[in-house]
Amino acid sequence: MTFNQLVWKMAKRNKGKYIFYYLCNSFAVMFFFMYATVYFNKRIVEVKELESIQDALAIPGVALVVFTVFFINYAHRIFTRRRRKEFGLLMTLGMSNRDIVRLLLVENGVIAAASIASGLLAGAVFSRLFFLVLMNSAGMGQVPFHLSSEMFGYSIAAFMIVFFISVGITLYLTLFRSLTDSLKSDRVSDKLKLRSPLLGGFGVALVSLSALMLYFNYLNESNPGGDGMVLLIWTIALLFGLYIALSQSMSFLIEMAKKHKPFYYRKLLFLTSLEYKFKQLTAILMLVTVMGMVTIFYTTLLLFIYSGTEKQVVENHPYDIAYVETETKNNISEKELEAIFDANPIKEHLTLQLFDYYEEDPYWEDLINRYTFVPLSDFQRLTGSSKEVREGEYLYFHNQEPEYAGGDTIYENGLTLDEGNIRMDFKESIVKKHINYMNYVYTEYLVVDDSEYEKLRERLSKGENSIHLVNVEDWKKSEDDVEELEQKLMENNQTTPPFLNEHFSYLTEEELLAPSSKIADYNYQRNSGGIMFFVSTFISVLFFFGSFILLYLNVFSNIEQDKEKYRKLYKIGITKKEIQRLIAGELKVLFFFAPLLGTAIAFHYIVVFAKDAGGIMQNPSFFLHFLTIAGIYLMIQTGYYFYAKRKMMRQLELN
């Protein structure tokens, strides 16, 4: 028999294992490639609005790499573990180590090549489908689907590195283990290295303590802005406790069950079998729990942010369009402005006069204070306020939401200007958002009487400016009009001398004088949020599917040993119905324990982060999004369970 004939006969004999192993690797290539179609998309990389997204995409990318490394390595380990007996038998018949290496390299090389070809093909098809469905549903139709050499190159390279590391480990274990160990590998079960109920109780206590400390110490009154270190420390402690609990919790549970003898003896077989499974699958259960937690929390958070984009934009932009006009820049007549918004008529156009005065701080060297003065009449028209102010007094108007405005300010202590020649008294603070944020203007204004404004302007001002605030019929349909306005202002500005302001040297003229609009911010938020939501959905689908594959691999990789175990139980009097109940109970725990635990931890993190927005009860949409994502996740897992249960019963011939 030639070497090639031997390889072919072995492949036919183990075709089920080969096919399943090939599919796992093919899926891994497909996962890499589908993610690469997003990460290396030209629109995402090149378009200015989306530049910040590139770094954000690295976060789920790292999660994908970690998962795939574990996924490929575990699939390969399961594939080769039950074949070591074959290699041992071949070595007893005279096959050399060189021949074993050649055999492994040939079969794995063929599988790798086939996996890459089919994975790339499937990835191209399904990534196109994902773009059509998710990008359009997320309002991201302007991000086109395309393929590039980078997508193919990085996907193949990432897979090959992980794949050949796994093959190298297998070669080492096969060649450097004793021949006896290889021959009896299919009859040796995994040993339980440690059994400590006390350690299991400690793990449960550490998880509970970490969750409580995270809730009470993150975003509390003494730390309103949150603390990344607090989050990191208690998250690490929680994950550490979680691993210990998963490893030893069944030992702890058995110890508790022994105190109730009738229950313990009635469930003895079930409990001891689960203890073995939990210790054998600790790493997988940990991975599935963390995947579920990250998937549900990350997707819920992004969905909440994405769905609240419109509300946030409206709050940040009191007016649909706003721009600053100086003596020489952004000059456009009312007639020209109305012509631009002819199809989407202007409903309101408010002009706010102001001037800036800069002065060195008397106490801090090289610090320049900026004072922006606004006449009282313009402030009253802007806010609808009836506030009054006398000469020599000023109102401090902080154009910001109250929750974001705080701390000491120089404007509330009275002002001494023009080298002490002008003294003004503080009267009152008004904190509310009335003007869109723009690069040229600050959020702090000093409101003075109209006559006082004229005197100060003549004495202190180097030039008066105006803020134009515009509302149109429908701001969501104003994208083309806003772009036309920007273009018109740029054309007009090019005919005037360059705008020089030493205090804004870090900004270009175009950036400094650019209009602010709801639609531009809305599109930016929808673009960035839509892409992140798309990526999180993709990662979620991957993790949903991957968690099932990992559990499926382990449950069905030992099917022959399980069949022998249940056959022996049947011989000593355990009925077929009792065996069916035992298998169903084990599968329920294995398929639902980790997902439910991950869901619970995700909900805890959602409650913690919701404190920043007033609490979970004040944000019902946050809770609703969580229920939706978690419900879908558990529904899919339920489908996995019934499929696995039916197949398990059929393969064990218990139906």
Side-chain angles (χ1 to χ4, degrees):
M1 182 185 297
T2 66
F3 184 84
N4 291 336
Q5 289 175 330
L6 175 63
V7 173
W8 177 245
K9 286 183 177 294
M10 291 183 66
K12 287 197 297 183
R13 175 66 179 82
N14 297 288
K15 62 180 179 180
K17 294 178 182 178
Y18 276 91
I19 291 173
F20 197 79
Y21 180 51
Y22 151 73
L23 289 175
C24 288
N25 285 284
S26 183
F27 283 129
V29 177
M30 183 182 74
F31 295 154
F32 275 126
F33 185 76
M34 290 179 67
Y35 183 75
T37 58
V38 177
Y39 193 82
F40 294 106
N41 186 280
K42 288 181 180 179
R43 182 71 173 175
I44 297 172
V45 175
E46 295 174 359
V47 177
K48 184 178 180 180
E49 304 86 78
L50 305 180
E51 285 180 351
S52 61
I53 302 303
Q54 195 70 6
D55 293 333
L57 290 177
I59 298 172
V62 171
L64 174 63
V65 170
V66 171
F67 165 75
T68 311
V69 167
F70 187 91
F71 179 76
I72 294 176
N73 182 62
Y74 192 77
H76 184 79
R77 186 156 58 91
I78 292 297
F79 172 68
T80 58
R81 185 174 61 181
R82 299 307 174 186
R83 300 186 60 229
R84 291 196 195 116
K85 181 180 178 180
E86 297 175 11
F87 298 144
L89 180 60
L90 292 173
M91 293 171 73
T92 61
L93 296 175
M95 183 173 281
S96 65
N97 286 347
R98 182 179 178 181
D99 292 328
I100 294 293
V101 171
R102 184 183 172 195
L103 173 63
L104 284 171
L105 291 179
V106 168
E107 64 180 21
N108 281 284
V110 171
I111 290 174
S115 299
I116 290 172
S118 58
L120 292 177
L121 178 61
V125 173
F126 283 102
S127 58
R128 174 62 174 167
L129 179 63
F130 262 74
F131 264 79
L132 287 175
V133 176
L134 290 178
M135 284 298 190
N136 289 329
S137 64
M140 298 295 299
Q142 71 272 29
V143 179
F145 173 79
H146 73 93
L147 301 176
S148 68
S149 59
E150 285 182 316
M151 299 174 185
F152 288 94
Y154 278 93
S155 300
I156 295 173
F159 169 74
M160 293 297 287
I161 291 172
V162 177
F163 183 80
F164 281 112
I165 288 175
S166 299
V167 173
I169 294 173
T170 299
L171 285 171
Y172 174 80
L173 293 176
T174 303
L175 298 178
F176 292 94
R177 279 191 173 182
S178 68
L179 188 59
T180 304
D181 289 339
S182 297
L183 288 171
K184 63 179 184 180
S185 61
D186 62 337
R187 300 193 302 273
V188 177
S189 61
D190 296 331
K191 295 181 180 179
L192 302 184
K193 298 179 181 179
L194 178 65
R195 186 179 184 279
S196 174
L198 184 62
L199 196 59
F202 170 76
V204 173
L206 183 57
V207 170
S208 303
L209 176 64
S210 301
L212 289 173
M213 295 301 292
L214 184 63
Y215 179 80
F216 288 111
N217 290 329
Y218 188 71
L219 292 172
N220 56 28
E221 293 182 0
S222 62
N223 185 29
D227 188 346
M229 187 57 65
V230 170
L231 180 65
L232 177 63
I233 289 173
W234 290 113
T235 297
I236 292 174
L238 188 147
L239 294 177
F240 180 67
L242 183 62
Y243 186 85
I244 295 174
L246 287 172
S247 175
Q248 303 296 329
S249 58
M250 288 308 301
S251 299
F252 176 73
L253 181 61
I254 288 176
E255 198 65 26
M256 293 296 101
K258 286 180 179 179
K259 297 179 180 180
H260 304 279
K261 300 298 183 181
F263 172 80
Y264 172 69
Y265 288 117
R266 189 170 63 252
K267 298 291 184 178
L268 176 61
L269 185 60
F270 174 72
L271 292 173
T272 53
S273 180
L274 272 184
E275 182 185 27
Y276 176 79
K277 289 286 186 181
F278 264 63
K279 285 181 169 55
Q280 186 187 43
L281 301 177
T282 299
I284 294 178
L285 292 174
M286 179 71 180
L287 184 63
V288 172
T289 301
V290 174
M291 285 194 311
M293 176 192 72
V294 171
T295 297
I296 294 174
F297 170 71
Y298 192 60
T299 307
T300 301
L301 185 63
L302 286 174
L303 183 58
F304 175 72
I305 295 172
Y306 181 68
S307 63
T309 297
E310 182 174 340
K311 180 182 177 182
Q312 182 182 2
V313 167
V314 171
E315 290 176 351
N316 290 338
H317 298 268
Y319 284 83
D320 299 340
I321 304 104
Y323 64 94
V324 174
E325 179 184 3
T326 72
E327 292 180 343
T328 59
K329 296 294 181 180
N330 280 359
N331 302 138
I332 185 172
S333 68
E334 186 73 23
K335 186 176 181 181
E336 289 177 308
L337 189 64
E338 290 178 352
I340 291 174
F341 291 93
D342 180 54
N344 194 8
I346 295 175
K347 296 193 303 180
E348 182 182 5
H349 182 188
L350 181 67
T351 303
L352 186 69
Q353 302 298 318
L354 55 90
F355 75 86
D356 296 317
Y357 172 67
Y358 298 91
E359 186 176 77
E360 291 185 2
D361 191 280
Y363 305 106
W364 296 91
E365 188 178 353
D366 298 329
L367 177 63
I368 302 297
N369 293 326
R370 178 185 182 180
Y371 306 93
T372 302
F373 290 94
V374 174
L376 178 63
S377 58
D378 283 7
F379 173 76
Q380 290 175 335
R381 285 189 294 109
L382 172 69
T383 62
S385 169
S386 59
K387 299 282 185 182
E388 295 290 343
V389 63
R390 296 178 297 181
E391 288 193 20
E393 294 180 335
Y394 63 88
L395 300 172
Y396 167 53
F397 168 42
H398 193 170
N399 182 53
Q400 191 63 274
E401 295 298 336
E403 59 265 30
Y404 302 114
D408 297 332
T409 172
I410 60 172
Y411 305 115
E412 296 184 355
N413 301 319
L415 297 177
T416 302
L417 307 174
D418 195 21
E419 299 180 349
N421 295 318
I422 298 175
R423 170 70 189 180
M424 303 190 71
D425 297 322
F426 167 74
K427 181 180 181 181
E428 185 181 351
S429 291
I430 296 97
V431 182
K432 191 172 182 181
K433 184 87 170 178
H434 285 288
I435 303 173
N436 299 30
Y437 172 79
M438 288 171 282
N439 288 331
Y440 186 77
V441 294
Y442 284 176
T443 61
E444 298 172 316
Y445 303 83
L446 303 178
V447 182
V448 297
D449 179 75
D450 287 19
S451 60
E452 184 85 3
Y453 176 83
E454 293 298 329
K455 294 177 184 178
L456 292 171
R457 183 173 62 83
E458 292 178 3
R459 186 168 181 175
L460 303 176
S461 174
K462 294 182 179 179
E464 188 176 30
N465 304 317
S466 301
I467 296 178
H468 291 267
L469 304 170
V470 179
N471 278 330
V472 296
E473 192 73 32
D474 187 352
W475 66 266
K476 289 187 178 180
K477 297 180 180 179
S478 63
E479 181 176 2
D480 293 338
D481 298 332
V482 170
E483 289 180 357
E484 185 179 349
L485 173 64
E486 292 177 352
Q487 187 64 32
K488 182 66 175 177
L489 293 177
M490 288 177 59
E491 291 175 359
N492 292 348
N493 291 341
Q494 289 174 358
T495 63
T496 60
F499 183 78
L500 301 176
N501 189 319
E502 59 181 315
H503 305 290
F504 293 98
S505 58
Y506 56 91
L507 293 174
T508 65
E509 178 182 304
E510 182 180 341
E511 293 171 336
L512 187 60
L513 300 174
S516 166
S517 65
K518 284 180 182 175
I519 189 63
D521 191 23
Y522 180 74
N523 286 339
Y524 173 81
Q525 298 291 343
R526 294 281 289 186
N527 284 344
S528 58
I531 290 176
M532 290 305 298
F533 182 65
F534 166 80
V535 174
S536 69
T537 303
F538 164 68
I539 296 294
S540 299
V541 172
L542 165 64
F543 282 0
F544 287 157
F545 189 74
S547 63
F548 167 71
I549 292 294
L550 287 174
L551 290 172
Y552 184 94
L553 272 172
N554 196 279
V555 169
F556 288 94
S557 64
N558 299 318
I559 193 69
E560 295 299 327
Q561 288 71 25
D562 287 339
K563 186 181 293 187
E564 184 63 28
K565 178 181 72 174
Y566 292 125
R567 186 179 293 115
K568 291 177 180 178
L569 289 174
Y570 182 74
K571 288 181 177 179
I572 64 173
I574 305 296
T575 65
K576 186 177 290 188
K577 192 172 183 180
E578 289 173 330
I579 293 176
Q580 288 176 337
R581 284 201 301 265
L582 176 63
I583 294 172
E586 285 185 7
L587 289 177
K588 281 180 184 177
V589 175
L590 293 177
F591 274 84
F592 289 105
F593 181 82
L596 287 173
L597 183 59
T599 301
I601 297 175
F603 180 70
H604 178 73
Y605 273 84
I606 286 171
V607 171
V608 170
F609 276 74
K611 290 167 63 179
D612 190 37
I616 193 70
M617 300 308 295
Q618 299 298 320
N619 296 274
S621 61
F622 208 170
F623 183 61
L624 183 62
H625 292 324
F626 164 76
L627 290 179
T628 302
I629 299 299
I632 294 173
Y633 179 62
L634 294 176
M635 283 177 60
I636 294 174
Q637 197 69 13
T638 301
Y640 289 164
Y641 162 72
F642 282 113
Y643 171 78
K645 177 185 173 182
R646 184 169 59 252
K647 186 166 184 178
M648 187 77 165
M649 297 298 184
R650 186 168 60 248
Q651 292 205 12
L652 292 176
E653 301 174 355
L654 294 173
N655 286 332

